[in-house]
Amino acid sequence: MQTISVIAVIIVGFIHVAIAMVEMFFWSLPAIYKRLGFTADVARQVAPIVKNAGLYNSFIAVGLFWAAFSQQTPTQVFFLVCVVIAGLYGAATLKPTTLALQSLPATVALVLVWLAYF
């Protein structure tokens, strides 16, 4: 069960690598910003904020990888809870699908960590 929980934490980390890459490097693509309901003009205006959010998502990814590979359960729980909260906030303020992209995988990983270590 510990191996499965570590794999789940790593998967959540890779999800955040993908989110970070999109926010930091691909935000200017119409397919990306239109998916979130932004016009080209607004997307240009918010680009610095989105890129900054991408940097934060990369920190979350690194934290998840660190927690998974060091097998530090409290650190895994901390970063997974951060992701769940961020997903809930994103769903409330940006798009409800954020729950499926962020909160759901992190919640599953959190349950697996809990089952493996507690």
Side-chain angles (χ1 to χ4, degrees), residues 90-105:
T93 60
L94 190 58
K95 202 164 185 184
T97 54
T98 307
L99 285 173
L101 181 63
Q102 283 184 292
S103 293
L104 182 61

Side-chain angles (χ1 to χ4, degrees), residues 34-100:
K34 285 182 179 180
R35 184 178 180 277
L36 295 171
F38 288 91
T39 64
D41 187 47
V42 173
R44 263 190 307 280
Q45 291 173 8
V46 300
I49 296 167
V50 173
K51 289 180 182 194
N52 191 38
L55 183 61
Y56 280 92
N57 275 310
S58 67
F59 292 149
I60 292 290
V62 169
L64 287 162
F65 292 140
W66 167 50
F69 290 113
S70 67
Q71 295 189 356
Q72 295 180 23
T73 307
T75 309
Q76 291 175 10
V77 170
F78 171 78
F79 281 102
L80 290 169
V81 168
C82 287
V83 172
V84 170
I85 293 169
L88 292 170
Y89 188 79
T93 60
L94 190 58
K95 202 164 185 184
T97 54
T98 307
L99 285 173

